Amino acid sequence: MSGISIVLVVIVAFLAGMEGILDEFQFHQPLVACTLIGLVTGQAVPCIILGGTLQMIALGWANIGAAVAPDAALASVASAIILVSGGQGTAGVDTAIAVAVPLAVAGLFLTMIVRTISVAIVHQMDAAAEKANFGAIQMWQLIAIALQGCRIAIPAAALCVIPAQIVQNFLNSMPEWLTSGMSVGGGMVVAVGYAMVINMMATAEVWPFFAIGFCLAAISDLTLISLGAIALAFAFIYLRLSENAAAASAAGAGSGDPLGDILDDYE
């Protein structure tokens, strides 16, 4: 990896770390982070595949109360760097996915360290607020955000300086049974992440569309673009039916459930 590529990768990692808190441009999302790293390193295709697969896993990750989700930013950046350094192309995606999951859990330790430091920063901001020192408040705010970026940028820089030959030798030394097991395990993790999302959004109104999409996805002649167009058409149909149902409900007729009203008409 060239010096310019390393600098660009560290910048992407820094932005991904900040976005884990800011949530403004979504640089911390696996698909975005891996794609950007792929672009700056000239390995766009395998990194996009890696990012898309990791995105399916991360769909089920969410901070709930005091429970902090695994670190998707570190998992995305670190696994993409390992994939690029390994030089295996798309063949190394499965291994990178298997490595990403423990990295995401390990990232919680770095998150704990940064948030512990942030407690002291909050006290400094409180002291500045008592003196109406808005400049100091802004400075400490920027420092806290920069710490979040360094949380990902420093490990990324460390991975970049590791000679590519060492990474390649490590990946090539892995036995076939281990790489095959990682491939199977990575697929299972993707399925679990998607199942968690379905469990959160499963309603009587959504299940029919899920069943239709599941059947359409099995048709090999349909591309992702055509499936997206079909999904968009269903969305417009549902919105139109919802508007009609809302109007009927306001007029004193209908239940407010467009699909339920349609099914009732056939009874």
Side-chain angles (χ1 to χ4, degrees):
M1 194 181 299
S2 65
I4 296 177
S5 297
I6 292 176
V7 172
L8 293 176
V9 166
V10 172
I11 292 175
V12 172
F14 186 79
L15 294 175
M18 291 193 302
E19 280 300 299
I21 298 298
L22 297 176
D23 280 332
E24 186 173 357
F25 298 105
Q26 302 300 312
F27 287 133
H28 67 294
Q29 295 294 342
L31 183 57
V32 179
C34 292
T35 300
L36 291 176
I37 291 178
L39 290 175
V40 299
T41 57
Q43 298 287 334
V45 174
C47 286
I48 290 175
I49 296 174
L50 173 63
T53 307
L54 291 179
Q55 190 70 59
M56 295 299 296
I57 300 174
L59 284 175
W61 293 351
N63 297 332
I64 302 176
V68 181
D71 194 344
L74 180 61
S76 306
V77 171
S79 60
I81 294 174
I82 292 173
L83 176 62
V84 172
S85 300
Q88 295 180 329
T90 56
V93 171
D94 291 335
T95 303
I97 292 171
V99 172
V101 176
L103 285 173
V105 178
L108 294 177
F109 176 72
L110 297 176
T111 300
M112 181 183 66
I113 294 176
V114 172
R115 295 194 179 191
T116 301
I117 297 174
S118 298
V119 173
I121 293 177
V122 170
H123 290 312
Q124 294 295 328
M125 295 175 71
D126 289 338
E130 292 178 355
K131 300 177 183 178
N133 189 347
F134 298 104
I137 295 174
Q138 184 176 13
M139 178 193 68
W140 285 112
Q141 169 71 12
L142 294 176
I143 292 175
I145 297 299
L147 284 176
Q148 294 291 341
C150 293
R151 173 178 59 88
I152 308 299
I154 293 176
L159 287 173
C160 287
V161 298
I162 296 176
Q165 188 64 36
I166 295 178
V167 178
Q168 292 175 1
N169 292 337
F170 170 74
L171 296 177
N172 293 331
S173 64
M174 299 175 66
E176 179 66 24
W177 62 265
L178 182 58
T179 56
S180 299
M182 285 183 172
S183 177
V184 175
M188 292 178 63
V189 173
V190 173
V192 171
Y194 193 55
M196 292 174 65
V197 176
I198 295 175
N199 188 48
M200 289 187 295
M201 61 183 293
T203 61
E205 293 82 7
V206 173
W207 276 116
F209 294 104
F210 175 79
I212 294 173
F214 188 82
C215 295
L216 291 176
I219 302 176
S220 59
D221 293 336
L222 293 178
T223 63
L224 290 177
I225 295 177
S226 62
L227 289 173
I230 293 173
L232 187 62
F234 275 126
F236 280 120
I237 292 173
Y238 183 80
L239 290 175
R240 184 60 179 171
L241 291 175
S242 299
E243 293 174 357
N244 293 339
S249 179
S255 63
D257 180 6
L259 292 178
D261 293 339
I262 293 174
L263 294 175
D264 291 339
D265 292 338
Y266 288 97
E267 293 181 355

